[in-house]
Amino acid sequence: MTVIDTAKPAEVSASAPTLVHLSGDIDIFTTARLRQRLIDALGDSTGLLVLDLSQVTFCGAGGLGMLVGVQSRARARGITLALTGVPPRVTRLLLTTGLARHFPVTG
């Protein structure tokens, strides 16, 4: 799993979303490092943290658990965690597990 970019344009208002582009696999080998990167991104977010999953090739059960945990931390800080560019395989996984209704999906 690679965090390609964490972007919050400086010239945009403080309420602008923070966008994190992810690529590769979200699995047992990558979740700990990714969890910490996303928690760090929460520190820079004001109201909306958007994860771009368009380049994610795999997401396992550990990855889903990590997303739920980060979402819980986000909510505690008053931040919405949303997903964008969700690949069909990940969409099916979210639907099958019932987690689709817990994550707002944009574009």
Side-chain angles (χ1 to χ4, degrees), residues 22-35:
L22 305 177
S23 72
D25 294 346
I26 303 175
D27 59 20
I28 192 170
F29 302 108
T30 61
T31 54
R33 188 177 76 226
L34 179 57
R35 176 184 300 110

Side-chain angles (χ1 to χ4, degrees), residues 1-4 20-39 51 53 55-67 70 90:
M1 167 53 54
T2 302
V3 175
I4 298 173
V20 179
H21 298 274
L22 305 177
S23 72
D25 294 346
I26 303 175
D27 59 20
I28 192 170
F29 302 108
T30 61
T31 54
R33 188 177 76 226
L34 179 57
R35 176 184 300 110
Q36 189 56 54
R37 294 288 302 266
L38 295 178
I39 290 169
L51 305 183
L53 304 182
Q55 295 182 31
V56 169
T57 53
F58 173 81
C59 183
L64 288 180
M66 181 272 308
L67 289 175
V70 171
V90 177

Side-chain angles (χ1 to χ4, degrees), residues 3 5 9 12 14-15 24 37 41 46 55 72 74 76 85-87 94 101-102 105 107:
V3 175
D5 185 25
V12 181
S15 63
R37 294 288 302 266
T46 55
Q55 295 182 31
S72 177
V86 184
L94 290 170
R101 65 180 176 262
H102 298 285
V105 177

